[in-house]
Amino acid sequence: MSTRLSRILIALCGILGTILLGLYFGVGFSTGLAQLPPDATMAQVVSVATQYYNLWFLGTWLQATGSLLSVVFFIALAHRAGGAARLAGLLTVLGSAVLLAVVLIEGVFTIDLAQAAANGHQVTSLTSFDIMTVFTYIYPIVPAPVIFLALGTILLGSGLLPRVFGYLAFGLGIAFAVVGLVALFTTPILTIVVLSLQALWVLAAAITLLVQAGTAFDATEELQPKRP
């Protein structure tokens, strides 16, 4: 695969991943699924679970697929910047693995929330809802800071993207770490704010990759021995 084509595919992963995650949040807020209070009663949870049964499944798919594409984007950035074998690159992979694990486990409880309600298991549906809502706190505590602090380190040592992206990644990593602690004692809405900034960062980085697809510096090519 040519360098230009791989850059385009990487950028598309970042763009499509962000779009799918945006749709996930958009569907939730537009239908009121994301506005159920943490102390919602069993009747409220079961009512919403059955009324929007298909949307719960759609939301799970959007979140899981969008997160997977985003993870591919993060790891591919580290690889193209020549940092895959460094400690920062390994931390990017670790953070991405934790991110996917968190998303998939949340997806299991989201599906069970709707499925249990449809099967008449109201207590199970409420329990899944209670567990599902706490995952909002997990992402900014570990996966997000690890991913963006590691990516910031890699990008600052590479010419793959303008250095401003490395500094902004550092800023996002620090912001997630702070929000991860503060949100535990205040409101998870703070996490949504930083997630919005993350989406802008990914879109800007992906678009920059597309623009520079033909001429951008590729650290991985410099590391490869030239054939006679």
Side-chain angles (χ1 to χ4, degrees):
M1 182 185 297
S2 68
T3 299
R4 183 173 182 274
L5 178 58
S6 66
R7 290 174 182 276
I8 292 174
L9 293 177
I10 292 168
L12 289 178
C13 283
I15 293 171
L16 290 177
T18 302
I19 291 174
L20 291 180
L21 289 173
L23 290 174
Y24 162 72
F25 285 105
V27 168
F29 282 104
S30 64
T31 60
L33 302 182
Q35 298 174 24
L36 277 174
D39 59 348
T41 64
M42 182 184 297
Q44 288 177 306
V45 171
V46 171
S47 173
V48 172
T50 52
Q51 183 178 359
Y52 299 106
Y53 179 84
N54 291 330
L55 285 181
W56 288 106
F57 282 83
L58 175 61
T60 300
W61 183 88
L62 289 171
Q63 184 185 29
T65 307
S67 297
L68 175 61
L69 291 173
S70 297
V71 161
V72 171
F73 177 74
F74 296 146
I75 296 176
L77 272 186
H79 172 70
R80 280 298 174 191
R86 293 161 48 192
L87 176 60
L90 297 177
L91 288 175
T92 302
V93 174
L94 174 63
S96 297
V98 174
L99 165 60
L100 273 184
V102 169
V103 168
L104 293 177
I105 294 173
E106 180 182 357
V108 168
F109 286 106
T110 303
I111 292 174
D112 186 62
L113 161 68
Q115 191 65 53
N119 293 337
H121 303 154
Q122 298 184 357
V123 175
T124 302
S125 182
L126 179 61
T127 301
S128 293
F129 172 77
D130 288 336
I131 297 175
M132 182 191 73
T133 55
V134 303
F135 281 90
T136 307
Y137 297 97
I138 303 299
Y139 178 63
I141 293 178
V142 175
V146 171
I147 291 171
F148 282 99
L149 290 175
L151 277 179
T153 302
I154 294 171
L155 293 176
L156 285 177
S158 165
L160 180 67
L161 291 171
R163 290 177 64 85
V164 65
F165 284 99
Y167 291 117
L168 290 174
F170 264 124
L172 281 173
I174 294 172
F176 273 120
V178 172
V179 166
L181 176 61
V182 174
L184 288 173
F185 306 100
T186 54
T187 172
I189 293 179
L190 295 174
T191 302
I192 305 299
V193 174
V194 185
L195 278 173
S196 301
L197 297 177
Q198 171 190 315
L200 293 176
W201 185 92
V202 172
L203 286 176
I207 291 172
T208 302
L209 271 183
L210 283 177
V211 172
Q212 299 179 345
T215 59
F217 171 82
D218 191 350
T220 58
E221 290 186 353
E222 283 202 348
L223 295 176
Q224 296 175 356
K226 294 184 178 180
R227 298 178 181 178

